[in-house]
Amino acid sequence: MMLKKNITITQIFQMSGNEFIYSLFDWVVGAGFNPTNATDSEKALIFVVTAHGILGNGGFRFFYENDFDNGLVSHEEIVSYFDKVGSHGTASILRKSLLLFPEASLIVTG
C-alpha cells in the first residue's frame, strides 16, 4: 500500500482495516518516528506492524535475527506490544517461541 500524499489524521481515522493500519503507520513514520522519544502507543503501532511483516515474510528465524531498532527494543518488548494492541493470541505464541530461543540476540545467519 502506498502512502497517500497530504493525508490528514482525521482522514486516516475514517478508514478501516489494513488501509487504516498502514496509513497510520506511514503517517507516524512520516512525522519522524523516533523510538527514544515516542509514546508507548506509537511504539506499539510501529513495532507490531513491523514484526507482523517480518514474521509473515521470514517466520520466527527472521524475527529473531532482526535487531529491532539497533537493539533498543527487545523481542520481549515486541511481544508486550502485541498484547497492548489486543493481539493476545499472537503474543501467546511469541511468548512460547521465546522459551525456545532465550538467547535470540545470539542467533547468527549463515
Side-chain angles (χ1 to χ4, degrees):
M1 165 173 252
M2 292 187 58
L3 175 63
K4 297 175 184 174
K5 300 291 182 192
N6 300 321
I7 194 164
T8 67
I9 193 69
T10 302
Q11 291 170 311
I12 292 171
F13 279 104
Q14 294 171 352
M15 298 173 182
S16 62
N18 284 343
E19 182 181 31
F20 168 75
I21 292 168
Y22 291 111
S23 293
L24 185 58
F25 177 91
D26 288 341
W27 188 82
V28 170
V29 170
F33 174 76
N34 180 341
T36 58
N37 61 11
T39 67
D40 206 40
S41 295
E42 290 169 335
K43 289 180 191 179
L45 168 71
I46 296 300
F47 291 123
V48 165
V49 171
T50 301
H52 181 267
I54 288 168
L55 287 161
N57 189 38
F60 287 120
R61 180 179 176 141
F62 194 30
F63 176 74
Y64 286 112
E65 289 173 345
N66 192 294
D67 185 14
F68 286 94
D69 213 33
N70 297 317
L72 293 175
V73 180
S74 69
H75 292 96
E76 293 84 0
E77 191 173 358
I78 299 295
V79 172
S80 74
Y81 290 133
F82 276 93
D83 269 329
K84 183 174 180 67
V85 301
S87 189
H88 304 296
T90 302
S92 176
I93 291 167
L94 288 172
R95 269 194 200 85
K96 290 175 185 174
S97 75
L98 282 169
L99 297 174
L100 298 172
F101 304 102
E103 297 181 30
S105 62
L106 301 179
I107 293 178
V108 178
T109 60

